Amino acid sequence: YLRMMMPEGGDVKIAYDPEARDGFRLGLMSSFGLDTSDAEDVELDDILYIDCDTEGGIIAGSNPRSVLLSVYEYLRQMGCRWLFPGVDGEYIPMKDITPVKYRHKPTTRYRGFCNEGAEFQQCMLNSIDFIPKVGMNVYMLEFKVPTYYYDLYYSHKFNSENRPPEPVSETTVLQWKRQCEAEIAKRGLQFHDIGHGFCVDSFGINSAGAWSEMDDSFITDEQRQYLAEVGGKRGLFGGRPANTNFCMSNAKARKTVADYVASYAENHSNIDYLHVWLADATKNHCECDECRRKIPSDWYMMLMNDIDDALTEKNLNTRIVFIVYTETTWPPLTERIKNPERFSILFAPISRSYTQTLPESDIHHELRPFELNKMTLPGSLGEYLAYFAEWRKFWHGAAFAYEYHFWWHYVSDVGGIQLARRINEDIKCYKEKMLNGIVEDGTQRPFFPTGIAFYTYARTLYDHTLTPMEIAEEYFSCAFGEDWRLFYDYLDKIGSLFDVTYLEYKGSADRINVDFYCPEKAEELEGAEELFRIGEELVKSHYNSDYRIRTVSVRLLEAHLEYCRSLAKMLIIKARGDDEGAIACNEEFRKRFGRREAELELYYDHNLHFVRLGVVAKHPTRKDSLQKNDVDHTVI
């Protein structure tokens, strides 16, 4: 990067020299005799230290990863920016270096990203390369073998008219996961692994199919006896491995899972945090007489203690993460973890509303008693935090969040600006609630039409004193130049036009009586052409730039204009109550815009967008056709 900043600046020599006294010296703060006492754990807590003049100086960190983060921060102080993955996402000014004195401990310990969405290997490698450049330090790979996510891309299910399927084997995906692990290790990032899957993998049932529905007749009687009994039957819940729990009251079953977890940890010593979650979905816990004696969280705590025993027996210090998610939102009544030093709690409010953070009216909630396989998940962040406060009465150990801003909710904010504001608010709220960071579940490509929401996520986790507007000015001025405010205002108006509240089911937190029938919205969208023409003029007048990042950013807006016009057309039909017409229009939109997928795929997840928009198009629009019990609360 120094060579790019000063292409005629001469040679930049790189050497290992512990005795160096001049030039840029990179190393651990401890090696330079620098204080790291504000780090609770120097392995986990990043401190960035820079003391450089025009001839060189010290660039250091509290741990090896922090040294890399300090290098990127030094370059950021020089004016470099990384707005989205890949070479085209780099803004590198040409300038001489200037003195920098800087020391910073990021606001949060856990600043992470987890694989989700339709993945292809190059986007995964790009993503891992990108996150330390924006100050993040955690990467998670969900599932033992994440075949499901790769298949979403390589099957081209939502674009087979334009791209024939390219099946990849489970063996290939496993090799690719190992490659990702190597890239994570190369950067010293915290590696978080697995999450869902242990409930079936432990009994020899492959979780790689995840949410794919299958006939479970292949399951043996020996395996079936350990699976959760739901509705009087034991088997794959809905035919989906990822949604299947096991019979946690069965001591032999718990030991089988604990031993499997310990064996996996022993064979994968590169893991920093091993996430042991229960099944996905809801209303899928075992209903046998013994399991009914305790609520799932109590059985879950017993499982954690069994895992601790199994790891201790193998003399392993593996860190384990357990999750507050779906049914375990309700805290245990009687059981507690015996060795809290090994464990971290993960707060995952998947069914919360993303149209608000925590208004004053959303602070006090009456907690509902748990009902096995009959419960309704919280609908707001405030309600979730009320349950989490009960956990915190006895859990005083490490805690961070698992969030979903870049899942469906990312698609609902067409301009990206509103989501960026929400993320900034959420992170500050979580910090106040003693959650020491976030790992985001979502598409690896949340950069369409811009990466402002993800950039805001990274920067706020790093420094929660930053405002959304401060971050936006930094991002947009690099992406679009001196006229950045015109682009920001345009995308802000686009977001208001489509309205995240409307696309998120009018903000109905519990998704009851949701309704897309809205003639006023149709009328508003019909008048959108004037706004689209403003976008066209911005694109036309800034089409080419001396900076590659600006050319790419404008071309993404050009494609986004086509997306917006097609989306508006579909939503006009939907808002008038024509479900069949909306479905047909959305299908035509999907196929036509799919022609641009290969061109846009480093930034845009075609599968995620049209899974989400397909749900909008197919949802019944008339309020009088909906009854309260018609809405399914199953978490997808």
Side-chain angles (χ1 to χ4, degrees):
Y1 284 109
L2 289 178
R3 290 173 187 264
M4 285 191 281
M5 286 169 56
M6 302 177 292
E8 299 301 330
D11 190 19
V12 179
K13 295 180 180 177
I14 301 170
Y16 175 71
D17 183 1
E19 305 303 320
R21 293 291 178 267
D22 57 11
F24 288 95
R25 283 154 283 156
L26 278 59
L28 295 174
M29 292 174 68
S30 58
S31 299
F32 292 108
L34 298 168
D35 179 35
T36 59
S37 60
D38 50 333
E40 294 178 27
D41 184 325
V42 291
E43 179 188 353
L44 301 177
D45 292 326
D46 298 315
I47 303 174
L48 286 65
Y49 180 91
I50 304 167
D51 186 2
C52 295
D53 57 24
T54 57
E55 303 301 317
I58 294 172
I59 300 177
S62 53
N63 54 56
R65 171 186 63 252
S66 303
V67 180
L68 178 65
L69 299 181
S70 291
V71 169
Y72 285 129
E73 179 58 33
Y74 172 76
L75 294 167
R76 203 183 77 81
Q77 297 277 336
M78 291 295 106
C80 298
R81 295 292 184 272
W82 296 269
L83 304 189
F84 43 82
V87 170
D88 288 344
E90 297 182 340
Y91 174 83
I92 313 297
M94 287 179 63
K95 56 169 290 186
D96 290 332
I97 58 177
T98 53
V100 176
K101 289 187 180 294
Y102 180 88
R103 189 186 192 281
H104 180 68
K105 180 184 175 185
T107 298
T108 56
R109 173 182 284 179
Y110 305 97
R111 308 181 300 282
F113 206 24
C114 180
N115 65 320
E116 234 275 21
E119 300 172 4
F120 61 98
Q121 187 63 353
Q122 189 57 53
C123 94
M124 291 296 295
L125 300 179
N126 286 353
S127 184
I128 294 166
D129 176 69
F130 178 65
I131 66 167
K133 294 176 178 176
V134 288
M136 294 168 65
N137 65 347
V138 172
Y139 207 94
M140 180 172 176
L141 296 174
E142 192 180 1
F143 288 108
K144 179 181 175 183
V145 186
T147 305
Y148 181 86
Y149 293 139
Y150 281 93
D151 188 60
L152 289 177
Y153 173 84
Y154 287 100
S155 70
H156 302 304
K157 178 180 177 181
F158 282 82
N159 200 19
S160 59
E161 297 85 356
N162 299 300
R163 305 181 77 175
E166 308 169 67
V168 291
S169 68
E170 192 172 318
T171 300
T172 297
V173 173
L174 180 59
Q175 289 180 315
W176 282 346
K177 183 181 179 185
R178 296 293 175 260
Q179 183 183 23
C180 289
E181 291 176 19
E183 294 300 315
I184 291 167
K186 184 187 296 183
R187 292 159 179 82
L189 301 173
Q190 286 183 27
F191 174 38
H192 293 225
D193 199 17
I194 302 293
H196 295 305
F198 283 118
C199 290
V200 290
D201 281 327
S202 302
F203 305 103
I205 301 169
N206 192 348
S207 68
W211 299 278
S212 300
E213 189 172 354
M214 60 185 69
D215 180 356
D216 70 1
S217 59
F218 67 90
I219 296 175
T220 67
D221 291 341
E222 172 70 18
Q223 294 168 323
R224 195 176 297 275
Q225 67 175 318
Y226 298 122
L227 301 183
E229 178 186 313
V230 183
K233 295 173 58 179
R234 296 185 187 271
L236 295 183
F237 184 78
R240 295 174 171 88
N243 291 357
T244 302
N245 277 304
F246 75 99
C247 184
M248 288 193 286
S249 67
N250 185 321
K252 184 177 179 181
R254 286 201 315 276
K255 186 177 189 310
T256 299
V257 173
D259 288 345
Y260 185 90
V261 170
S263 177
Y264 187 87
E266 184 176 38
N267 292 327
H268 299 81
S269 58
N270 59 318
I271 299 169
D272 294 298
Y273 287 81
L274 183 57
H275 290 237
V276 183
W277 305 348
L278 299 178
D280 201 9
T282 61
K283 303 175 184 176
N284 56 353
H285 281 266
C286 190
E287 298 169 346
C288 76
D289 290 341
E290 281 302 309
C291 279
R292 287 179 179 275
R293 294 178 183 273
K294 295 178 183 289
I295 70 170
S297 291
D298 281 312
W299 294 120
Y300 193 30
M301 294 301 93
M302 291 177 68
L303 175 64
M304 293 300 107
N305 288 329
D306 290 340
I307 290 170
D308 180 48
D309 289 343
L311 291 168
T312 301
E313 188 175 328
K314 289 179 176 290
N315 198 29
L316 297 172
N317 60 3
T318 309
R319 300 182 186 93
I320 300 294
V321 179
F322 65 94
I323 191 168
V324 173
Y325 177 72
T326 61
E327 274 82 347
T328 60
T329 299
W330 282 258
L333 301 176
T334 59
E335 302 296 330
R336 300 291 184 263
I337 285 178
K338 297 174 183 176
N339 177 21
E341 291 300 313
R342 185 187 293 280
F343 294 91
S344 299
I345 195 171
L346 189 66
F347 174 67
I350 189 169
S351 60
R352 59 163 285 202
S353 167
Y354 284 83
T355 61
Q356 58 184 3
T357 298
L358 197 62
E360 285 298 317
S361 60
D362 198 25
I363 294 176
H364 303 292
H365 291 273
E366 182 178 345
L367 304 186
R368 298 186 298 272
F370 181 82
E371 295 183 84
L372 181 62
N373 293 345
K374 293 182 180 179
M375 34 61 67
T376 298
L377 292 178
S380 70
L381 183 56
E383 190 177 1
Y384 262 111
L385 287 169
Y387 285 93
F388 190 60
E390 295 300 305
W391 274 96
R392 287 302 243 166
K393 287 179 179 178
F394 59 87
W395 178 259
H396 307 293
F400 56 108
Y402 192 74
E403 262 291 1
Y404 304 88
H405 297 95
F406 300 105
W407 187 43
W408 282 15
H409 314 289
Y410 155 71
V411 180
S412 297
D413 183 14
V414 182
I417 305 295
Q418 295 176 65
L419 183 62
R421 294 178 186 137
R422 174 72 55 249
I423 288 169
N424 185 269
E425 290 178 4
D426 284 352
I427 291 171
K428 292 174 181 179
C429 173
Y430 282 163
K431 183 64 177 175
E432 290 177 3
K433 301 299 180 182
M434 306 301 290
L435 285 153
N436 201 5
I438 302 176
V439 174
E440 281 281 355
D441 171 274
T443 176
Q444 302 301 291
R445 297 170 281 161
F447 308 104
F448 182 76
T450 73
I452 182 58
F454 192 85
Y455 196 76
T456 299
Y457 170 64
R459 295 304 299 159
T460 310
L461 283 175
Y462 182 82
D463 182 358
H464 79 307
T465 67
L466 295 171
T467 67
M469 202 62 222
E470 287 173 326
I471 298 169
E473 180 173 357
E474 181 180 306
Y475 184 98
F476 277 81
S477 61
C478 289
F480 300 106
E482 61 184 13
D483 290 334
W484 69 268
R485 188 62 194 244
L486 297 175
F487 289 88
Y488 176 90
D489 290 344
Y490 162 71
L491 286 173
D492 199 17
K493 290 174 183 175
I494 285 287
S496 297
L497 170 69
F498 287 98
D499 186 6
V500 65
T501 305
Y502 178 74
L503 287 173
E504 286 273 293
Y505 298 163
K506 286 195 171 180
S508 176
D510 58 1
R511 298 178 183 170
I512 297 295
N513 288 334
V514 296
D515 181 24
F516 288 111
Y517 177 68
C518 185
E520 298 86 359
K521 173 55 66 176
E523 195 172 316
E524 184 183 2
L525 288 167
E526 282 182 330
E529 191 54 40
E530 182 178 347
L531 178 58
F532 296 154
R533 281 197 290 269
I534 291 173
E536 275 186 340
E537 184 54 40
L538 279 174
V539 168
K540 181 179 178 182
S541 59
H542 297 79
Y543 203 60
N544 296 309
S545 171
D546 289 343
Y547 286 99
R548 173 66 179 167
I549 192 171
R550 293 176 182 168
T551 301
V552 172
S553 294
V554 170
R555 302 296 169 89
L556 285 172
L557 276 191
E558 180 182 37
H560 189 249
L561 265 167
E562 179 186 339
Y563 178 94
C564 287
R565 283 191 164 108
S566 297
L567 178 58
K569 181 180 177 183
M570 186 273 279
L571 290 177
I572 288 168
I573 297 170
K574 187 69 180 176
R576 291 211 165 102
D578 181 0
D579 290 352
E580 294 305 315
I583 292 169
C585 184
N586 193 62
E587 276 296 282
E588 189 275 331
F589 174 22
R590 176 186 66 77
K591 294 173 186 176
R592 180 168 38 79
F593 202 72
R595 297 170 190 163
R596 304 195 73 156
E597 184 189 12
E599 163 198 351
L600 302 171
E601 66 182 6
L602 291 176
Y603 320 103
Y604 158 77
D605 189 331
H606 186 77
N607 179 282
L608 179 71
H609 277 259
F610 283 94
V611 167
R612 179 72 184 101
L613 295 181
V615 169
V616 173
K618 294 172 184 176
H619 202 286
T621 51
R622 300 279 185 173
K623 275 190 177 180
D624 56 16
S625 70
L626 285 172
Q627 299 297 322
K628 184 167 183 174
N629 292 331
D630 288 341
V631 180
D632 181 15
H633 290 274
T634 299
V635 177
I636 298 176

